[in-house]
Amino acid sequence: MKARSYPVVLSLALVLLAPISLRAADAADSTHTFLNPDDPALAEIRLLGERTIDHAGSTLVREVQRVLATQAPAMAVGLLHLKDYKLPVAAPGQPVLIAIKRTSLRLRSPANSPDSPELAALERIERQLENGDGVPKLLIQRVALPGLPLEWRVYRPLGVMKQCLDCHGPKDELAPGVADALRVMFPADQAVNYKTGQWRGVLRVSILEPKKKP
Ligand code: HEC
């Protein structure tokens, strides 16, 4: 009897814990608010965010293809991703793109660690996946970090494709030499053991309101 009741207690504890920890995270962090991406007031921000992420996302995929066409994957580890990527400059009176970032709950590079609004976005996506709701197409946040201007963040989830597996796939299926290169360059790497179609992380852009004329 005892052996049977244990998993029930455990799963009950998890059910009870989840909402409590969520509330604690929300209460502790007033730096960000999730907004409805379909709100017409956000149309301009959304359009700019989506266009930029579409461009950066397809550049990331094309770059992987291009680099792997000429380099062994183990050599390519030091070249990826988007190291020379430049954001387009805003036209006068238009919202201004200030940053693009890739981040994940399973990080390869500590330089891509999520800050608290990003962590909230990643956890929101993970929760939706756990609930069987699928991956959201887009998230938008208003972010107010101390000492910084108010910014909008637009997030798009990234999936794993076949050409990602040389460096992010199951450990025993990584391309030759990749595991060694990762051990040297990213000793705390957690970004392996992905399968095609799995959620890998997000691309996000930050946008400021257009500069007001004095
Ligand atoms: C040749 C090896 C290689 C391939 C192939 C590769 N990656 Fe990466 N990936 C890396 C390296 C190295 C980093 C860490 C450096 C960086 O980009 O900041 C990284 C980091 C990332 C990150 C940032 C989060 C983190 O964990 O640091 C994302 C997201 C990502 N890769 C997605 C992809 C996707 C999607 C593909 C396939 C389209 C892909 N990668 C293919 C080597 C690779």
Side-chain angles (χ1 to χ4, degrees), residues 48-77:
L48 179 62
E50 282 192 300
R51 275 199 190 145
T52 310
I53 293 178
D54 282 347
H55 184 263
S58 50
T59 306
L60 183 146
V61 174
R62 273 201 315 272
E63 180 189 57
V64 166
Q65 277 159 350
R66 194 185 65 240
V67 168
L68 290 184
T70 55
Q71 306 272 343
M75 300 305 291
V77 167

Side-chain angles (χ1 to χ4, degrees), residues 65-155:
Q65 277 159 350
R66 194 185 65 240
V67 168
L68 290 184
T70 55
Q71 306 272 343
M75 300 305 291
V77 167
L79 304 173
L80 298 179
H81 295 282
L82 299 176
K83 292 203 190 296
D84 301 322
Y85 193 75
K86 300 256 180 324
L87 286 169
V89 178
Q94 296 299 304
V96 183
L97 288 159
I98 52 164
I100 182 156
K101 181 168 164 183
R102 49 198 180 277
T103 185
S104 174
L105 289 173
R106 280 162 59 184
L107 279 175
R108 170 149 297 168
S109 168
N112 300 326
S113 299
D115 66 5
S116 65
E118 287 163 353
L119 190 59
L122 290 165
E123 287 178 342
R124 178 175 274 235
I125 296 171
E126 188 177 57
R127 229 153 43 225
Q128 277 191 232
L129 276 170
E130 280 169 4
N131 292 341
D133 297 338
V135 184
K137 208 170 157 267
L138 194 76
L139 295 178
I140 302 188
Q141 280 173 334
R142 195 178 55 234
V143 173
L145 293 170
L148 293 174
L150 191 67
E151 71 182 73
W152 278 262
R153 289 188 178 182
V154 180
Y155 295 84

